[in-house]
Amino acid sequence: MLVRIEASELPGRECGQGPGDPGYRNVHVGVQRKDRPDEILGLHPGDAASAAWDLEVDAARKETGWDLRGPYVQGRPGGRFVYLSWGTVDGDGAFAMFRRAKLWFDGVAPDVMEAAARNGLLLARLGLTDARGEPLCATVRPPLVRWTAPAA
């Protein structure tokens, strides 16, 4: 199955300084590979109009629902998620993460997951700017993300 993440409303290439926050420049976002925090898929600049990632996953039916696994899927069965990693990119192209968002699969409604398994596509749509105008981080579940299963 394909998991497609479509993001809009990116916060910009700079995060302002604040108490305990040094601020960041040349901010980018991408998907972190499992067990390889330095390996990021599809870096997009923080001021892009939109960002999208396609992740191939294995979907297995379990007694408690569906379990998704793949190179970019993190966590244990029943607690799977994808990390959207925020970081800076230096002049040599090196990425240095400063925060992450956990896009949880447990927020996918059972009927949507069934349709996604049947159609071969699970689509996540979300904005990447939080209420303070900063990069979205921490736990991301509905209503911050909208999960659907369009026909592939």
Side-chain angles (χ1 to χ4, degrees):
M1 175 172 36
L2 182 71
V3 172
R4 180 166 180 80
I5 302 168
E6 294 180 351
S8 60
E9 302 167 18
L10 280 76
R13 285 223 196 178
E14 293 188 20
C15 290
Q17 292 181 336
D21 190 351
Y24 302 95
R25 297 188 189 284
N26 203 21
V27 172
H28 285 65
V29 62
V31 176
Q32 180 183 311
R33 187 174 177 100
K34 180 182 179 182
D35 299 326
R36 298 182 189 170
D38 295 331
E39 191 173 323
I40 306 294
L41 173 70
L43 276 179
H44 293 275
D47 61 353
S50 62
W53 301 273
D54 290 330
L55 312 174
E56 286 291 334
V57 302
D58 294 319
R61 186 186 297 274
K62 303 288 183 183
E63 287 181 21
T64 57
W66 287 90
D67 186 32
L68 303 182
R69 291 173 290 174
Y72 295 93
V73 177
Q74 313 273 345
R76 300 180 190 273
R80 304 273 196 205
F81 60 91
V82 170
Y83 273 131
L84 297 179
S85 293
W86 293 97
T88 58
V89 175
D90 69 15
D92 294 327
F95 179 82
M97 183 185 64
F98 63 85
R99 76 178 55 139
R100 300 186 286 200
K102 272 187 178 181
L103 185 58
W104 289 89
F105 290 118
D106 65 2
V108 180
D111 61 321
V112 171
M113 188 59 80
E114 288 290 332
R118 195 172 46 252
N119 296 341
L121 176 62
L122 178 62
L123 176 62
R125 287 194 172 126
L126 71 160
L128 291 182
T129 300
D130 70 13
R132 297 174 319 206
E134 299 288 326
L136 182 69
C137 64
T139 294
V140 179
R141 289 186 171 104
L144 295 175
V145 59
R146 182 171 175 253
W147 293 100
T148 60

